[in-house]
Amino acid sequence: MPEKKPVKKVEKKPEKDTAKEKKLPLHGSRIEDYALIGDCETAALVSRNGSIDWLCWPSFSSGACFTALLGTADHGFWKIAPEGKVRECRRQYAGQTLILESTFVTAGGEVRITDFMPPRSKCSSIVRIVEGIRGRVKMRMDLAIRFDYGRTIPWVTSIEGGVRAIAGPDMVVLRCGTRIKGEGMTTVSEFTVKPGHSESFILTYASSQDNQGHDSPMPEIFKAKDALADTTLFWQEWRGRNTYRGPYEEDVARSLMMLKAMTYRPSGGIVAAVTAGLPEKIGGARNWDYRYCWPRDTAFTLMTLLRAGYQEEAAAWRRWLLRTVAGAPDQMQTIYGINGERQLVEWEADWLPGYEGSRPVRIGNAAANQFQLDVFGEVASALEQMPLAEDGIRVSSTALQANIIDHLCRVWVEPDEGIWETRGGRKHFVHSKVMAWVALDRAIKNYERYDGGGDIKRWRKNRDMLHKQILEKGFNKKLNSFTQSYGSKELDASCLRIGLVGFLPMDDPRIVGTIEAIEKHLMRDGFVLRYNTHTSKDGLPPGEGVFLACSFWMVTCLWLIGRKEDATRLFEKLLALRNDVGLLSEEYDVPGKRMVGNFPQALSHLTMVYAALTIAGVWKPGPNTEDR
């Protein structure tokens, strides 16, 4: 037999980081340079340079197919822009809609790109219409589809009038009237527009297979102009239902439209933001996934929607809440998925370099597993408004509330992670205790008004015990302020809500003292920090921007204690932080003069509307009620 040759052992080389190998630059623009388009099931972010850098398809919490916001061009984007240098870019939402118009001025002329997502039927689409305004402008389209947050390159094939990209269950189809070609794993088109000439590009998502495992048919073809007319009508009709009339009317309307765009229509749930991984400090580690629903936003949302005349959306949000928190009260979570899902496993997308190098990029949110007392108060405040809904909801909510409050009577003595979802260990946070008091107080009032079930004597006893304990352990006489936690000397902007929820009257010296202490110690360049991350141990590296929702709470508080000029000045200073199309992020980096945190942020827009309604006299705290 022939002698066997020794087998040479080949050491497997580690996979190379594509971005480092090619040394591609980071792709994302400044956060304030993005505008939002959406179809009330998902949303895309469009930058001032014409690039769509973030889109999760088919829903808000699906994997992103454009993730260049958090990485490089290799992680997926769709750009349509002039080939030459752009001298000027002007943007606006067309009329009272969520249809984005971007006008680019070049040496050769002027062109307008209209971007929107039509109301969804069977499939979800993005439509981009390029129109010549003046002169002749050479244009270029670059499309790089990367499923699974930029990780998966699809198989792309040519079809009549476009291309089709498939990877596993996902399929995206591009249809256009221009000539397209492949260029380095990217689909490219070069064309010229002039006055009276337009080109349309339609990108549609669909499942790659049907329920029987066969290949799905191609998405239906539609005309861009027809879709534009349908989308215009949809948003104009929605805007026409707004009943708010008063100061800052257009500002309120725009923020309400953002909330509508962040509403998942099939369930009624409202996501906190449409993004994941945008940092609270550039280069920092506070990078979270906000594409989920927080019950703590419920009371704010209901009050805002009801005051503006959006009864249908308020009812849908109430139904989402009832379905979601139903079950054992000891299993109630702080965060849920858009359909009420409870498993939101947090993991890190380690192939993404992060927004301007801010790592890790987290997908999912481990705070869903935290114990947070304040959620009981938020849910109780929302359930108290259930009588405004149909009888079926009211009856079920009364029974649910009784179960929740009985459980709360057993657990309010425990420490928790608090409203800010800290990762430095549980404490007896003052805001959490106040919201536990709110839960008891609202349940008692609901019982008295509607003869609900429950151990009312036990509830009253626990409410009074908790109120006494908070005053004894949560207020620091030397600081003349409520503090972050029992026995602490740290201040926390969440304590601005203590008067707003009716724990004490707004003119109580302890409430006024808390407002003044936060104003003195937690304000930076005229805006409010959540707390001092350098002195308060929260389990994370220190440093973050000023928190816009807390700043709007300060506006509301200043107005209600009679400092109306100061409140108005701060409110308008906050409005000036919005970008050119009226959007707000979670936080603002004052030294860097830029937005930070996830974007756009529902809570920032909610508290802005909340403050405007206060200034207009539409809302003010009654006896023990923030949310009526």
Side-chain angles (χ1 to χ4, degrees):
M1 293 179 66
E3 184 179 350
K4 291 183 178 180
K5 295 182 180 180
V7 178
K8 184 178 180 180
K9 186 177 181 181
V10 179
E11 185 176 347
K12 186 179 180 180
K13 295 182 179 180
E15 294 183 5
K16 295 182 179 180
D17 185 308
T18 305
K20 289 182 179 178
E21 184 179 359
K22 295 182 179 179
K23 296 182 179 179
L24 292 177
L26 294 175
H27 185 86
S29 299
R30 289 171 69 98
I31 294 172
E32 57 267 29
D33 285 343
Y34 286 98
L36 179 143
I37 56 174
D39 62 4
C40 298
E41 294 189 38
T42 191
L45 294 185
V46 188
S47 74
R48 290 180 62 85
N49 65 12
S51 182
I52 297 178
D53 296 334
W54 179 260
L55 171 64
C56 300
W57 248 349
S59 72
F60 292 112
S61 56
S62 300
C65 62
F66 297 144
T67 321
L69 174 68
L70 304 178
T72 71
D74 260 357
H75 296 116
F77 73 104
W78 185 20
K79 183 176 180 179
I80 302 178
E83 279 193 352
K85 182 178 180 181
V86 175
R87 293 180 174 180
E88 180 186 4
C89 174
R90 303 187 301 271
R91 299 189 303 177
Q92 64 177 10
Y93 285 114
Q96 298 175 341
T97 74
L98 200 68
I99 298 169
L100 179 67
E101 295 180 340
S102 303
T103 302
F104 298 91
V105 179
T106 71
E110 192 171 328
V111 62
R112 178 170 62 237
I113 301 178
T114 302
D115 294 319
F116 61 95
M117 297 186 73
R120 191 178 300 198
S121 53
K122 292 182 179 179
C123 300
S124 178
S125 297
I126 294 178
V127 179
R128 313 192 74 178
I129 302 173
V130 185
E131 301 174 275
I133 304 299
R134 175 176 56 83
R136 294 173 60 87
V137 182
K138 292 183 178 180
M139 303 291 294
R140 178 182 171 96
M141 183 213 73
D142 293 271
L143 172 64
I145 300 168
R146 302 289 187 267
F147 295 114
D148 301 320
Y149 302 102
R151 192 175 199 176
T152 302
I153 300 174
W155 182 259
V156 180
T157 55
S158 296
I159 61 172
E160 184 179 352
V163 296
R164 176 177 60 186
I166 292 179
D170 302 305
M171 176 171 68
V172 170
V173 175
L174 171 69
R175 291 190 173 102
C176 60
T178 62
R179 184 178 179 182
I180 56 178
K181 61 182 179 179
E183 190 176 288
M185 295 294 184
T186 301
T187 300
V188 174
S189 179
E190 296 170 328
F191 57 99
T192 300
V193 291
K194 58 185 178 180
H197 174 228
S198 67
E199 294 289 351
S200 298
F201 299 81
I202 301 175
L203 195 69
T204 302
Y205 175 92
S207 173
S208 63
Q209 61 189 33
D210 61 20
N211 293 333
Q212 280 72 44
H214 302 125
D215 290 346
S216 290
M218 296 288 287
E220 293 180 1
I221 298 175
F222 60 88
K223 294 182 179 180
K225 293 294 184 181
D226 292 341
L228 178 61
D230 291 342
T231 308
T232 300
L233 181 62
F234 173 85
W235 286 109
Q236 286 179 341
E237 288 183 345
W238 188 86
R239 172 66 173 84
R241 290 163 46 205
N242 186 347
T243 59
Y244 173 71
R245 301 293 181 269
Y248 308 105
E249 189 172 320
E250 288 304 314
D251 303 314
V252 168
R254 179 53 59 188
S255 283
L256 288 170
M257 189 168 287
M258 286 303 110
L259 296 175
K260 174 65 174 177
M262 288 188 276
T263 301
Y264 185 61
R265 183 166 45 188
S267 70
I270 302 176
V271 296
V274 304
T275 56
L278 290 180
E280 296 172 9
K281 177 184 178 182
I282 301 298
R286 297 170 186 259
N287 319 314
W288 316 110
D289 188 347
Y290 276 14
R291 299 169 300 146
Y292 306 113
C293 305
W294 270 253
R296 76 159 49 95
D297 294 342
T298 303
F300 277 123
T301 305
L302 285 175
M303 187 277 290
T304 299
L305 292 173
L306 290 170
R307 290 296 187 277
Y310 291 110
Q311 303 284 338
E312 181 182 331
E313 285 76 10
W317 182 227
R318 284 193 295 257
R319 286 192 292 269
W320 177 89
L321 178 68
L322 278 175
R323 290 192 303 269
T324 299
V325 303
D330 61 336
Q331 293 182 337
M332 191 160 65
Q333 296 183 183
T334 58
I335 312 172
Y336 294 90
I338 54 179
N339 287 304
E341 304 95 330
R342 295 176 178 237
Q343 300 299 322
L344 308 178
V345 178
E346 182 177 302
W347 54 279
E348 296 178 5
D350 56 8
W351 61 89
L352 292 172
Y355 180 82
E356 295 193 15
S358 303
R359 302 184 73 181
V361 174
R362 295 182 179 90
I363 306 298
N365 202 310
N369 301 317
Q370 290 186 347
F371 173 55
Q372 296 177 23
L373 273 173
D374 67 294
V375 72
F376 292 96
E378 305 294 0
V379 170
S381 294
L383 293 178
E384 190 192 19
Q385 296 186 64
M386 292 297 177
L388 298 174
E390 52 267 38
D391 288 341
I393 291 181
R394 182 176 69 198
V395 173
S396 60
S397 70
T398 301
L400 175 63
Q401 187 174 53
N403 287 334
I404 290 173
I405 298 305
D406 285 339
H407 173 69
L408 179 60
C409 287
R410 295 190 293 271
V411 300
W412 69 259
V413 295
E414 302 293 332
D416 76 329
E417 273 92 2
I419 183 175
W420 306 129
E421 300 164 359
T422 60
R423 302 195 175 191
R426 295 181 178 182
K427 299 178 184 179
H428 290 282
F429 288 104
V430 172
H431 173 266
S432 296
K433 301 298 186 184
V434 169
M435 294 310 296
W437 175 89
V438 167
L440 289 159
D441 183 73
R442 302 301 190 267
I444 292 166
K445 287 178 170 52
N446 207 36
Y447 177 97
E448 293 169 344
R449 289 161 61 194
Y450 299 103
D451 297 324
D455 189 347
I456 190 69
K457 290 183 179 180
R458 183 188 184 197
W459 296 357
R460 286 184 179 133
K461 180 181 177 181
N462 277 269
R463 179 189 62 178
D464 296 342
M465 287 170 53
L466 189 49
H467 195 277
K468 181 180 179 181
Q469 184 188 95
I470 293 168
L471 293 178
E472 289 177 350
K473 297 184 177 183
F475 186 80
N476 186 305
K477 293 182 179 179
K478 290 185 179 180
L479 294 173
N480 192 32
S481 175
F482 286 97
T483 56
Q484 185 179 67
S485 59
Y486 284 176
S488 170
K489 294 181 181 180
E490 295 289 337
L491 297 177
D492 194 303
S494 64
C495 291
L496 290 170
R497 297 189 64 202
I498 294 176
L500 301 180
V501 299
F503 183 82
L504 290 172
M506 287 300 299
D507 59 359
D508 186 287
R510 289 164 292 190
I511 295 297
V512 176
T514 300
I515 295 169
E516 292 175 346
I518 291 172
E519 185 180 26
K520 180 179 179 180
H521 298 289
L522 288 184
M523 290 193 80
R524 298 291 184 272
D525 299 294
F527 304 108
V528 183
L529 295 167
R530 293 188 297 174
Y531 53 90
N532 189 328
T533 59
H534 293 273
T535 58
S536 181
K537 296 180 180 179
D538 63 3
L540 294 164
E544 66 174 4
V546 294
F547 203 78
L548 299 183
C550 294
S551 300
F552 282 116
W553 286 338
M554 177 63 79
V555 170
T556 303
C557 288
L558 291 174
W559 184 273
L560 292 172
I561 65 173
R563 293 174 54 185
K564 296 185 176 182
E565 290 185 4
D566 292 335
T568 301
R569 189 179 304 111
L570 176 56
F571 186 71
E572 294 184 351
K573 187 175 181 180
L574 284 162
L575 291 184
L577 298 183
R578 297 175 303 170
N579 70 0
D580 56 331
V581 290
L583 306 190
L584 288 166
S585 62
E586 181 183 23
E587 300 183 5
Y588 191 79
D589 176 0
V590 178
K593 297 182 179 180
R594 61 184 304 181
M595 293 183 181
V596 288
N598 282 305
F599 175 88
Q601 177 79 1
L603 187 58
S604 296
H605 285 278
L606 274 170
T607 51
M608 189 281 278
V609 175
Y610 192 76
L613 295 177
T614 304
I615 292 172
V618 174
W619 176 86
K620 63 180 178 179
N624 301 336
T625 173
E626 174 189 35
D627 44 346
R628 291 180 194 164

